[in-house]
Amino acid sequence: MEILYFAALRERVGHPRETVTSDARTPRDLVAELAARSDGHAAAFADMAALRCAVDQQLTDLDAPLGQPREVAFFPPMTGG
C-alpha cells in the first residue's frame, strides 16, 4: 500500500510517500509499524492526539478496520477559517 505523509509528518519522516507491505488491522496498528522504521517516523507519530488519517481518500478513525487499502494518508488536524 502507498503511505502518504503531509505537513509536519512529511518533514519528520523525510519523504512524502512510501510503499509498504503490512498486515496491520487498523490505522493505529499501521502507525506502530511505521513508527518503528526510523527515528524520523517515531517523531512523526509521537503525538497520536495530533494525527488524522484517511484510507483511500476517506477520513477514518485510527481504530477503524483497515481492510486492504491502496492508500493511507497521515496528516495533522486541519484548520479552517
Side-chain angles (χ1 to χ4, degrees):
M1 76 184 82
E2 284 291 308
I3 307 297
L4 307 177
Y5 303 104
F6 292 93
L9 283 88
R10 179 181 58 231
E11 293 169 14
R12 290 182 181 127
V13 170
H15 46 267
R17 66 177 50 225
E18 63 186 317
T19 302
V20 302
T21 301
S22 172
D23 292 324
R25 297 181 69 162
T26 66
R28 189 176 302 277
D29 294 341
L30 180 59
V31 165
E33 290 179 13
L34 294 170
R37 291 184 143 222
S38 73
D39 289 343
H41 285 82
F45 295 115
D47 183 4
M48 295 293 285
L51 182 65
R52 300 297 177 264
C53 176
V55 175
D56 291 333
Q57 299 184 4
Q58 296 292 316
L59 290 175
T60 190
D61 185 86
L62 290 172
D63 294 312
L66 193 55
Q68 295 182 332
R70 291 182 306 189
E71 175 185 283
V72 179
F74 293 105
F75 46 92
M78 298 174 278
T79 61

